[in-house]
Amino acid sequence: MISYRHHIVSLVAVFLALAVGVALGGGPLSDLGRDDKPASAPTSPRKQPAAKATYGDEFASAGAAALYANGLRDRSVSLVTLPGADADVVSALGAEVEAAGGTIAGTYDVLPALTDASEKSLVDTLGSQLADQLGSGAVSADAPTYERMGQLLGLAVSGSSDLPSSEAEAVRQGLAGAELMGSPEDAARAPAVLVVLGDSTNPAILTGVVTGLADKATGVVVAGSADVLTDLRSESDGRAATVDGVDQPLGQVTAVLAVIRSFSVQGGSFGASGSDGAVPLT
């Protein structure tokens, strides 16, 4: 007598054989003896990776206010853009700063000559002149060219030092007159500085400028693509935080979380390629 178990096994075998036959009939063997036909588009959805990425951005946008917890309330941030920075990204980052309760003290555009290696003589000469004008102690006497320029930029955009506003304005005018930086109207200084990178910047120049900025600001966060940040992350002294992926909402929210953190903790590498984790929550 065939047991119930044997009966079930037999049915499973039959169904399996049918399934294999259908698969073969609709698969490679179905083309045997037929004319060549263009392969039809796959019917199975292949949008899961994109959907997951979209979900991450949607989650960040929806949860940003809760994550920020008004962490920039009564605080201001200076935005510094390097040549090639995406205007839409800069605008989005500014909006996120405001969503965290903060204000943008000013947006300062670094012009191409400041990061052009062929203009190093101009940067060095002007940096030396401005340092002398400010007097002893304002800028490190032995700082290399671009680190000194970063310190001057920090004095111009960051209110963390004791430098009088009039002298900071004089530095801004000097940089603008040499066409190294734009001249924003009604710009003020702020303790924290958010630097937005372009597509590429000479690694040595970028490292020097960021190092100098970190000397003068309470907190510095550098936001850009992982490729541009690679050398900075390996060469800088780590006092400036870095965030990659800021062309997307998830990266923009992460950058502002890093700004909030920078008022108490400096440095850190965050984002999809960050060595300190995806998001700075502590």
Side-chain angles (χ1 to χ4, degrees):
M1 179 180 293
I2 299 176
S3 68
Y4 178 73
R5 176 180 298 177
H6 290 158
H7 183 64
I8 293 298
V9 171
S10 299
L11 285 175
V12 170
V14 171
F15 284 129
L16 180 61
L18 287 172
V20 171
V22 170
L24 291 174
L29 295 182
S30 64
D31 290 334
L32 293 177
R34 299 181 183 178
D35 295 334
D36 291 338
K37 295 181 180 179
S40 59
T43 57
S44 58
R46 295 191 176 184
K47 298 181 179 180
Q48 288 186 356
K52 289 180 180 178
T54 301
Y55 172 76
D57 287 332
E58 291 176 352
F59 173 82
S61 298
L67 291 170
Y68 296 152
N70 225 19
L72 291 178
R73 181 180 180 181
D74 299 327
R75 287 173 168 169
S76 59
V77 178
S78 288
L79 270 173
V80 174
T81 69
L82 265 64
D86 189 302
D88 290 337
V89 171
V90 174
S91 178
L93 287 168
E96 292 299 331
V97 167
E98 293 175 353
T103 57
I104 299 298
T107 300
Y108 300 89
D109 299 324
V110 170
L111 300 182
L114 195 149
T115 58
D116 185 347
S118 67
E119 298 288 353
K120 182 177 180 180
S121 178
L122 169 63
V123 175
D124 187 60
T125 300
L126 180 64
S128 179
Q129 291 173 349
L130 289 174
D132 290 342
Q133 179 181 323
L134 293 175
S136 177
V139 176
S140 301
D142 57 349
T145 298
Y146 288 101
E147 187 173 331
R148 178 176 57 200
M149 182 53 65
Q151 291 181 8
L152 289 166
L153 186 60
L155 292 172
V157 307
S158 173
S160 299
S161 71
D162 296 330
L163 189 73
S165 297
S166 59
E167 294 191 24
E169 175 61 24
V171 174
R172 289 198 293 268
Q173 290 179 359
L175 294 175
E179 297 185 348
L180 298 182
M181 186 178 77
S183 181
E185 297 180 2
D186 300 325
R189 294 181 294 170
V193 179
L194 176 55
V195 181
V196 186
L197 302 182
D199 294 333
S200 63
T201 302
N202 181 294
I205 292 175
L206 178 60
T207 299
V209 170
V210 170
T211 300
L213 264 174
D215 284 337
K216 301 302 178 182
T218 296
V220 176
V221 176
V222 184
S225 69
D227 292 340
V228 179
L229 286 171
T230 297
D231 290 313
L232 178 64
R233 283 171 164 170
S234 62
E235 298 296 332
S236 70
D237 58 14
R239 286 179 296 155
T242 58
V243 178
D244 60 71
V246 292
D247 57 328
Q248 299 298 324
L250 182 58
Q252 293 157 13
V253 172
T254 301
V256 174
L257 288 171
V259 172
I260 294 171
R261 178 179 180 271
S262 74
F263 279 87
S264 57
V265 181
Q266 284 69 51
S269 173
F270 305 102
S273 301
S275 60
D276 293 316
V279 181
L281 294 178
T282 56

